Amino acid sequence: MRAVVVTAKGGPDVLTVTDMDEPDSGPGDITVAVAAAAVNPVDLKTRSGFLPIELTYPAVLGWDVSGTVVAVGASVTRFAPGDNVIGMIAQPAHRFGTYAERVVADESLFAHAPTGTSLVHAAAIPLAALTAVQLLDKITLPAQSTVLVTGAAGAVGRTASALLLIRGHRVDALARESDVDDLLALGSRRVFTEPADLQAGVYDAVVDTAGVVDTIDSVHDDGAYVSIEDGDQPEPQRGITPGKSYVNEDGPGLEQIAALVSAGALSIPIAREFGFAEAPQAHSLLAAGGTRGKVLLIP
Ligand SMILES: NC(=O)c1ccc[n+]([C@@H]2O[C@H](COP(=O)([O-])OP(=O)(O)OC[C@H]3O[C@@H](n4cnc5c(N)ncnc54)[C@H](OP(=O)(O)O)[C@@H]3O)[C@@H](O)[C@H]2O)c1
């Protein structure tokens, strides 16, 4: 199979396309013919060595995948050949990531692909949406809470905002000037572009996807603060215990997310599609910042 591999730690240019053997499959595995793999910030951080992950080179990066099941192991119960699926693989824990023509992994990592979006675009959903769902599970919110979401125009921030609104909460956003109209249209009450403009002690919670730790000042006493960013956490204070959330593989959780997408309640925009051979450009685009929507790699 063709796959995008990295052969050493480095910049986008270490990404190359190569032929490699298909991964072996076990009795609980499904084999997926890949429609698309999404590019996530974690892929850039893994490639560059920013994250302390020891890769065995050549390594196939990639967490997000969509595609069609072409084979199932003897003990697989939820899928059959021909099913369209989405999945998230915590790449460092696996021999192969998703930047490949075939992905082989346990069926518990996958869900049936949602309707109402193309199979290619569905690759944008798993990591961002699972992250958003799981980070919100880390905090307890009274009904109709008021929540500040930082990085609200990003993949995770936008999805977390949408989930909060679906659950009946009020959302304020911290984002860039160019995102203001889009986020107001999505249902944010107010959009701030400068942390200094935030009022102290007013929010029930801050959901931080952009690493703006000072926003904890805007949480009221005994409120909640949760971050997914790699940087430092704010100190515990005023009855607030800052939490970190790290995304976990969860196929059944993805089924629930797919249902929301199929119902039209949730969507993740697409920025651009690249062929496998353009993987260096795909990584460079995401690294440059300012991208809105997911960057996809198509075999
Ligand atoms: N812990 C976990 O399990 C987990 C899971 C997923 C992601 N993450 C991490 O979470 C972060 C966000 O991921 P993502 O996929 O949502 O990335 P993304 O789509 O690039 O979104 C990040 C958003 O935050 C914005 N932003 C950054 N700094 C900002 C600031 N000071 N003020 C306002 N907006 C700001 C960015 O704007 P610009 O593009 O204009 O800079 C972008 O819109 C990444 O660092 C990623 O590695 C962690």
Side-chain angles (χ1 to χ4, degrees):
M1 66 173 184
R2 285 165 63 253
V4 178
V5 298
V6 287
T7 47
K9 202 179 286 185
D13 288 348
V14 299
L15 293 157
T16 56
V17 180
T18 192
D19 273 314
M20 59 198 319
D21 292 338
E22 257 185 50
D24 295 334
S25 63
D29 290 340
I30 64 172
T31 301
V32 176
V34 173
V39 179
N40 282 290
V42 66
D43 303 338
L44 279 59
K45 295 173 187 178
T46 306
R47 186 211 70 225
S48 67
F50 175 83
L51 291 175
I53 294 169
E54 288 300 322
L55 294 175
T56 305
Y57 295 110
V60 180
L61 301 180
W63 292 50
D64 272 330
V65 65
S66 64
T68 304
V69 177
V70 291
V72 299
S75 63
V76 168
T77 58
R78 291 171 53 229
F79 300 103
D83 286 353
N84 288 336
V85 294
I86 55 174
M88 192 203 78
I89 289 167
Q91 175 261 319
H94 295 265
R95 175 75 185 86
F96 296 93
T98 60
Y99 293 5
E101 284 182 313
R102 293 282 186 275
V103 166
V104 178
D106 195 273
E107 67 167 331
S108 65
L109 278 52
F110 294 89
H112 295 86
T115 56
T117 186
S118 72
L119 187 58
V120 164
H121 287 189
I125 296 164
L127 186 144
L130 280 176
T131 304
V133 166
Q134 293 171 10
L135 78 85
L136 294 179
D137 285 346
K138 294 258 176 196
I139 54 177
T140 305
L141 291 175
Q144 299 186 329
S145 286
T146 304
V147 181
L148 176 75
V149 178
T150 78
V156 179
R158 188 183 171 100
T159 311
S161 301
L163 291 170
L164 286 162
L165 291 167
I166 289 169
R167 296 172 190 183
H169 301 297
R170 292 179 285 261
V171 175
D172 284 359
L174 180 70
R176 308 292 190 193
E177 189 66 48
S178 53
D179 299 315
V180 171
D181 291 344
D182 179 39
L183 294 177
L184 290 174
L186 283 170
S188 292
R189 220 174 44 152
R190 278 173 301 189
V191 183
F192 296 92
T193 57
E194 293 296 334
D197 293 339
L198 294 166
Q199 213 180 324
V202 292
Y203 292 109
D204 296 303
V206 164
V207 165
D208 176 38
T209 77
V212 193
V213 294
D214 290 348
T215 52
I216 195 168
D217 295 345
S218 68
V219 179
H220 62 62
D221 292 1
D222 303 316
Y225 176 98
V226 63
S227 179
I228 57 164
E229 260 289 350
D230 302 308
D232 291 340
Q233 282 281 74
E235 291 297 321
Q237 54 191 273
R238 300 180 289 112
I240 308 163
T241 305
K244 278 255 193 217
S245 185
Y246 295 98
V247 66
N248 288 310
E249 296 166 341
D250 181 11
L254 262 185
E255 294 282 4
Q256 293 178 22
I257 290 163
L260 287 175
V261 175
S262 297
L266 202 63
S267 66
I268 298 186
I270 306 302
R272 202 159 148 195
E273 298 171 20
F274 290 91
F276 270 7
E278 300 169 306
Q281 292 95 307
H283 272 222
S284 297
L285 179 69
L286 189 59
T291 309
R292 295 295 175 262
K294 299 295 289 190
V295 174
L296 301 181
L297 287 176
I298 316 288

